[in-house]
Structures are given as C-alpha cells and as structure tokens.
Amino acid sequence: MTRIPTAALALGFAGLIPFVWGALTMLDPALQAWGVEALGPRFVGPYVMLFYGAIILSFMSGVLWGFATKADGAVAAAGYALSVVPALWAFFMTGGGPTHAGISLIAGFVGLLGLDWLFARQGLAPGWWMPLRLLLTAIVVICLAVGVFA
C-alpha cells in the first residue's frame, strides 16, 4: 500500500463538507436556522446531503469508468458496465421522500465501496484507493444515517 496523496486526501475531506454540514444542521436547530437564513433551506439538513450525495454517486461512476479504461477485453467490458451502476442508483433510488432517499444513498455508498474493492482487486485503482475510500465512505454513511435517524 502506498501513502494517500495529499491532494487526494485534502480534496476527499473537502468533499465531505456538505455531508458533515447537513448532519450538523440536523442535530443543532440553531445552526439549521442560521443556515436557512444565510444559505437557504436547500443547503441545510437532509436536503444538502441528499442532493449532494446523488451528485457524488454520479461523480464516482465517472471515476470507476476511468479505472475501467486501464483494462482490456472482458474485464474492461465488465468495468464499464459496473461503473454506471452508482449513477443509475442515484437517479432511480433517491425519490420517495428524505428517509427513503437517505437509506437508498447509504446503500448506494456501501455498494460503491464494493465496486471500489472489485476495481482495486483487478489492479485498476491505485494502492492507496481503498484506504481513502473506506475513510470517506464511513464518514458519508454516518452523516447520512444522522439524516435518516435524527
């Protein structure tokens, strides 16, 4: 395993901001009220986490597609097919209200972690990929769980 590049780690943590912010505004009504006043209702509570979560699952489909380009033949074909699953999951599964959408996003991020592992196992992802993905996914799932269960 190699060390996670500083830029990847920093940008990964920066990408957590909407999830952490959304969870914090779920737990603190005063912070939520300030957020609604300063940023608007779309940028607090479950709304920011759900909208952003769907975007990130779609973004991660593109990352997996990029990994698939490193393969050939059947491995590449399978990689391309699997890479679109997170985006399709986000598109089809995030309706039905905030609780259903939150649970669906949790399942989507856990499933994405499984796809990350498959791509890493095929040697298509860098050696530092899984430690980064495990860390980021754990935080995302915890934040989404706050949105579902708080």
Side-chain angles (χ1 to χ4, degrees), residues 19 46-58 85-109 140 144 148:
F19 292 109
Y47 310 106
V48 69
M49 290 189 289
L50 298 176
F51 186 68
Y52 186 70
I55 290 169
I56 293 301
L57 279 180
S58 297
V85 170
L88 292 173
W89 183 267
F91 181 74
F92 286 111
M93 300 301 293
T94 57
T99 300
H100 179 267
I103 291 169
S104 293
L105 283 177
I106 290 169
F109 278 99
V140 166
L144 288 169
V148 169

Side-chain angles (χ1 to χ4, degrees), residues 37-132:
E37 181 68 29
L39 305 170
R42 187 173 144 210
F43 294 100
V44 297
Y47 310 106
V48 69
M49 290 189 289
L50 298 176
F51 186 68
Y52 186 70
I55 290 169
I56 293 301
L57 279 180
S58 297
F59 170 80
M60 292 305 297
S61 277
V63 172
L64 295 178
W65 182 280
F67 289 160
T69 66
K70 296 172 62 178
D72 294 309
V75 173
Y80 292 130
L82 290 172
S83 73
V84 300
V85 170
L88 292 173
W89 183 267
F91 181 74
F92 286 111
M93 300 301 293
T94 57
T99 300
H100 179 267
I103 291 169
S104 293
L105 283 177
I106 290 169
F109 278 99
V110 171
L112 172 62
L113 192 60
L115 292 175
D116 286 323
W117 180 81
L118 286 173
F119 279 76
R121 187 165 165 87
Q122 290 293 322
L124 302 175
W128 51 265
W129 186 250
M130 285 311 297
L132 177 64

Side-chain angles (χ1 to χ4, degrees), residues 15-30:
L16 294 174
I17 292 170
F19 292 109
V20 173
W21 169 253
L24 290 173
T25 61
M26 290 287 301
L27 297 172
D28 184 348

